[in-house]
Amino acid sequence: MGLKDRFRFKSTAAETTAETTSQTTGIDALPHPEGTEQELRRFRRQHQWDPFLDVDKLDTIDDALASGNTEKEAAIDESLIQENSPYAEVRNSVPPTDSDVPVDTVRAWVIGAFLCTIVAACNVLLSMRRTPITITATVVQLIAYPMGCGWAKFMPAKTFRVFGRTIELNPGPFNPKEHTIITMMTAAGSSLSYAIDILLAQEIFYQQQFKWGFQILLMVSTQAMGFGIAGISRRFLIWPSAMVWPAVLIYCTVMHSLHDHRPSDPSTTNGWKIGRYAFFLIVAGCTFVWQWFPLVIAPFLSYFMWPTWIAPSNVVVNQIFGGNTGFGLMPISFDWSTVIAFLNSPLQTPAFAILNVLAGVCLMTIGAAGLSFAGPEYYRYLPISANKNFDRFAKKYNTSRILAPDFTVNETAYTNYSPILLGPTFSLSYGMGFAGLISTIMHIVLFYGPDVWNRAKNSRYDEPDVHMKLMRKYKEAPEWWFFVIFAVSFAFGMIACQVWDTHLPWWAYILCIAIGAVLFIPIGMVQAITNQQTGLNIVTEMIIGYIMPGRPVAMMLFKSYGYMLSFNGLQYISDMKVGHYMKIPPRSMFAAQAFAVIWLSFVQLAAYNFLLGNIKGICTEDQSQGLTCPGATTFYNASVIWGVIGPARVFGAGGIYSWINWFWLIGFLVPLIQYFVARRYPRSFARYIVTPALFGAAGMIPPATVYFIFQWIIVGLLFNLVVRRMFFGWWSRYTYAMSGALDIGTALCTVLIGLGLGLSESNFPTWWGTEVVESTLDFKGTAVTKQFVKGVTPPLGPATW
């Protein structure tokens, strides 16, 4: 792609007319293949285990193929493959057409670069707050719209020349493709890098000052390596139609809603006439106004656990209904930020995935109840769902008591002090994490293994849907571009680990990258189907803790590279799917993402060093602006526990929690059993079970609690099961627009509250509605079956460790 395509040089009048009026459909983009029957059989084979595809559609294909009626086969092929996406969720969010409008304009790049720079710098600051917040790409998506429209209205229609080429300053109306480029720039690089937490832990807590050279290599390598692996994996995670990525459909719906002001057809929307644009603005505005009540004025609306208010000192009531450290079996809240706190919007997740989460949470609740009331005695002295480690005196584990001056474990002090004790749900969360990881591998191998292998051999293996056909008119971004980025960032990381005294050997660095790369596609396929991502943070902590105990900095780097390769890469590839749905030329998408990934790495580093150099007492409990760095503190504590104490003492043979290793076997067997059941009964419920989603969401408890997850489940099933079945027209038109509006209204309110009240350490005047939530045993973390009395109660746990 040359400069003319990259920066949108001025075209002739004829070209401009064609660009602004031409619209391509899927049938135009690629002619029908001659073998309709072969196409249907191929589609049927590739989607046999697709839980997104309704069973009745598979039955219709089977009937047509069995009949041998070519006309019937052609009609089904036309409606299911050629004209639109086979999935209702995609059809309702993305039109099966492509408009030839400007993409790489000066307007898009200037607004995009400006917004992503400001947002990235602000997010570094906001992440250090006592209660961190993030300015997300959804906020930028809304803010960019009036900026783009304002540019189109007020910027003069002038041209200027660069390298002998003419560039338009105002290329006409602000269009969805420009809007997508701006939003994806922010999405690609504005989220806080894990490297910031590593640097804070090193420089604040470990007092290691590696300075700018190490910082640049670390930041660029952790951010860019995932981008490289994402681009290489497009044939597996972007191009197949079965890789739906439900979460990105919200971006697409909001984008089209903002640029389409037409009213709705009441005959197709259960009688509603309001257009999606007006509907979106009304819901977003009302949400923004309402959120001030639960977030500032009346916090009891966020945590509406009213039985605990009636009996704030009753242990049983607080254990059962408390949503902070109890079971939370009163999942009521009037705060959208509470509903989306851990799993994002439930409206963007399909019903079958929500039901998998429900099954996992029920198993977690039953298991936690068993440990709490019938397990080892020490569980009676600990909160049911506490996100921290305890010592044998039922207090928070004090890592400073076991550390030597060189940040290695003092064996004598450790023996005299305490082993690590975990609460009931925290114990099970590790087990769920183990099961989730191995079940991810098993699920993909069993159900999608042949497809993965065929895609590796042939990038055009999958039967293209309408959107893939439309994208084929654009030049593809070659895979070697992404491989070069991966190789350079890999080299940067190797240099950072070997030149500076990180204690991470070269072979361990290669191992952590290999873990992230090998598991990238299985984890990505599960997320593309269910919206649930299997995290690698637990397994990377354990691996480095076993092979290199006593090296906390090495543990942080190993965990960061292994986990962030997967996490960042999946963020980038989900953004690529947005570009795919919005028909952004792949090379334009590459340019926007590559710029954001590299540029914002330097922006975040500059903001980080500015804050450390100009704010006193940063990352301390009494910092005057509340910049206590909770994320870095947690990261540091984890490095001490798993890098110094090591997982062998906790989960190894003879360890207190060695029983949790049975979950590896459980995670291996459950998908295997499901596979054989699904093969025997292909139309049964077994085809809708996705074990990684079942184990994965349950593994988030804690820091989540059942209180948060059950709300998410209830809202999700209400809309994506009940409303979808009873009012499909309304659901099709408004559900995703409503989800985006709720998210954006909440995000704007949260950011303003954080900037206006949080940074100034101001508080709303106290009254019953602000204090009642904090007056319960559940909130204080003291709703325990038995109280530990110092000097009376014997120390908890085993006598030796």
Side-chain angles (χ1 to χ4, degrees), residues 2-18:
L3 287 174
K4 178 176 181 179
D5 299 313
R6 178 68 60 216
F7 291 105
R8 189 60 196 172
F9 298 108
K10 190 173 183 179
S11 306
T12 64
E15 289 174 333
T16 303
T17 302

Side-chain angles (χ1 to χ4, degrees), residues 413-543:
Y414 176 71
T415 303
N416 292 334
Y417 175 41
S418 174
I420 292 176
L421 299 180
L422 306 175
T425 59
F426 211 169
S427 303
L428 286 173
S429 72
Y430 279 100
M432 290 293 186
F434 299 164
L437 181 61
I438 194 67
S439 69
T440 297
I441 300 172
M442 288 296 297
H443 186 84
I444 297 304
V445 169
L446 292 171
F447 289 95
Y448 301 100
D451 290 334
V452 173
W453 177 248
N454 286 318
R455 288 165 189 160
K457 294 188 298 181
N458 179 12
S459 63
R460 296 202 171 196
Y461 162 74
D462 286 274
E463 188 61 43
D465 69 346
V466 61
H467 302 291
M468 188 65 211
K469 292 173 183 177
L470 291 170
M471 287 296 289
R472 282 181 175 171
K473 75 176 184 180
Y474 300 112
K475 287 184 178 180
E476 192 55 71
E479 288 184 356
W480 69 265
W481 289 6
F482 295 96
F483 183 80
V484 167
I485 290 178
F486 175 83
V488 171
S489 56
F490 177 88
F492 280 7
M494 180 68 80
I495 293 169
C497 293
Q498 302 309 304
V499 172
W500 282 268
D501 189 21
T502 64
H503 301 119
L504 186 69
W506 63 268
W507 56 266
Y509 173 74
I510 294 175
L511 176 62
C512 70
I513 300 302
I515 292 171
V518 169
L519 295 176
F520 184 81
I521 291 173
I523 294 173
M525 291 183 71
V526 171
Q527 184 175 352
I529 296 170
T530 67
N531 266 350
Q532 308 303 314
Q533 183 181 127
T534 304
L536 293 180
N537 49 337
I538 291 177
V539 70
T540 50
E541 286 176 342
M542 291 197 66
I543 290 174

